Amino acid sequence: MADQYYEVPGGANNNNYANVTRIVEIAESAKCDAVWAGWGHASENPLLPERLSKKGILFLGPHSAAMKSLGDKIDSTIIAQCAHIPTLPWNGSSLQMRMEDLQREDRAVIVPEWAYERLNIRSAEEAKKAAEGVGLPLMIKASEGGGGKGIRVVRAMEGIADAFRAVQGEVPGSPIFMMRLAERCRHLEVQLIADEYGNTIALSGRDCSVQRRHQKIIEEGPPSVVSEEVWTEMQLAAVRLAQLVHYTNVGTVEYLYMEDGTYSFLELNPRWAPCASCDT
């Protein structure tokens, strides 16, 4: 039913939906004014908006700078800490950084390389040492993971090495970190919308706690489990984080909400559409 269509190679998504070069070539040949890449695949790759911009084509989504700042889970957790947003105990909890320590390049907020390298766990031996500081039970996570991949729960020190290698194998080349496991908690999300002029508002949110294999099954909105006071605080924190990185368009800030009424930042999904996967 489309007025025009362009065939792409089949097989792995690197041949089609995740192929930034092919998407830009098609957009240029079709004389597109704008590209909407949906969610997943190339929609979270900062190279896509960068290359489209060079061709004078609008990307319907956040700036590449915001993707770079928040698309990596280690980076985004450090930025959240600097913005005084609660986080779960993790192997970067002891990192003493302030907002002034974050580097800025164009619109991007960049975590210093020394800080990132310090928190990237490279071996099973480093994982065991980091686990002692984080405490059990914990989760070993690939910073570039998603969709339920690159994540393992560990409840005993004997399982650290195997879990670490499993995460390495699922997301090859990704930096790895670990975070305390939060049990009997809710997965709550704040929806944001922001314009080019620094105006950011929260559009309430949803409860995404019903999951299977770290993937959401039911999303309920608005959340009913959290008090109005705490929910307002969570929304304000989400807005503060988005403004810090000059976020534009719409996005999702994910939290874990505990039984005692406290909450912890999980991640900000820098994409045009509400997220279709999570890594709780």
Side-chain angles (χ1 to χ4, degrees):
M1 295 175 67
D3 295 325
Q4 298 180 26
Y5 71 91
Y6 293 80
E7 292 188 2
V8 295
N13 66 1
N14 287 333
N15 298 328
N16 36 70
Y17 296 109
N19 191 323
V20 170
T21 299
R22 184 67 179 133
I23 293 171
V24 174
E25 288 174 349
I26 292 174
E28 189 176 20
S29 64
K31 296 180 170 56
C32 291
D33 298 310
V35 169
W36 175 66
W39 50 88
H41 306 295
S43 71
E44 299 173 58
N45 187 338
L47 287 177
L48 181 57
E50 281 183 6
R51 293 185 182 179
L52 288 173
S53 178
K54 291 178 180 178
K55 302 292 185 180
I57 302 172
L58 178 67
F59 175 71
L60 297 179
H63 290 289
S64 60
M67 287 191 185
K68 290 176 180 177
S69 299
L70 297 168
D72 183 281
K73 293 179 177 63
I74 292 177
D75 270 1
S76 61
T77 306
I78 294 173
I79 293 171
Q81 284 186 172
C82 292
H84 305 293
I85 299 174
T87 60
L88 288 169
W90 69 300
N91 63 297
S93 293
S94 62
L95 186 68
Q96 299 296 319
M97 288 188 64
R98 302 167 300 171
M99 301 274 282
E100 298 78 17
D101 297 322
L102 298 175
Q103 301 169 1
R104 294 183 180 272
E105 183 179 303
D106 190 17
R107 292 179 179 226
V109 175
I110 303 171
V111 172
E113 187 174 349
W114 66 263
Y116 194 96
E117 288 300 311
R118 173 178 159 186
L119 302 178
N120 179 15
I121 302 172
R122 297 175 180 80
S123 66
E125 290 69 30
E126 288 185 9
K128 291 176 182 178
K129 185 176 180 180
E132 294 174 357
V134 174
L136 297 171
L138 56 79
M139 303 191 83
I140 300 178
K141 304 175 73 173
S143 191
E144 298 172 0
K149 293 186 180 298
I151 182 170
R152 287 292 187 280
V153 175
V154 179
R155 297 184 180 276
M157 290 297 291
E158 302 80 57
I160 293 289
D162 287 343
F164 177 82
R165 284 189 283 268
V167 170
Q168 271 188 321
E170 283 189 354
V171 191
S174 170
I176 295 175
F177 69 108
M178 60 177 58
M179 182 173 284
R180 181 81 59 81
L181 174 67
E183 300 186 278
R184 293 186 297 278
C185 62
R186 296 275 188 148
H187 181 114
L188 304 184
E189 300 183 348
V190 173
Q191 304 300 126
L192 294 173
I193 186 166
D195 65 18
E196 295 276 353
Y197 308 102
N199 301 304
T200 307
I201 60 173
L203 304 174
S204 192
R206 55 196 181 181
D207 187 332
C208 306
S209 303
V210 181
Q211 301 183 12
R212 180 174 180 266
R213 295 178 181 172
H214 309 296
Q215 297 289 285
K216 302 164 194 171
I217 298 175
I218 297 174
E219 299 180 356
E220 175 189 0
S224 58
V225 68
V226 60
S227 70
E228 183 176 344
E229 180 182 4
V230 174
W231 183 239
T232 298
E233 185 180 329
M234 293 169 72
Q235 292 181 90
L236 290 174
V239 168
R240 189 165 68 248
L241 179 64
Q243 290 179 327
L244 172 63
V245 297
H246 305 293
Y247 192 87
T248 57
N249 225 286
V250 301
T252 304
V253 177
E254 301 185 0
Y255 294 102
L256 295 180
Y257 179 71
M258 318 303 171
E259 288 182 328
D260 61 2
T262 60
Y263 64 92
S264 295
F265 171 79
L266 190 60
E267 64 180 326
L268 192 158
N269 276 315
R271 57 187 67 168
W272 187 89
C275 68
S277 66
C278 69
D279 300 307
T280 323

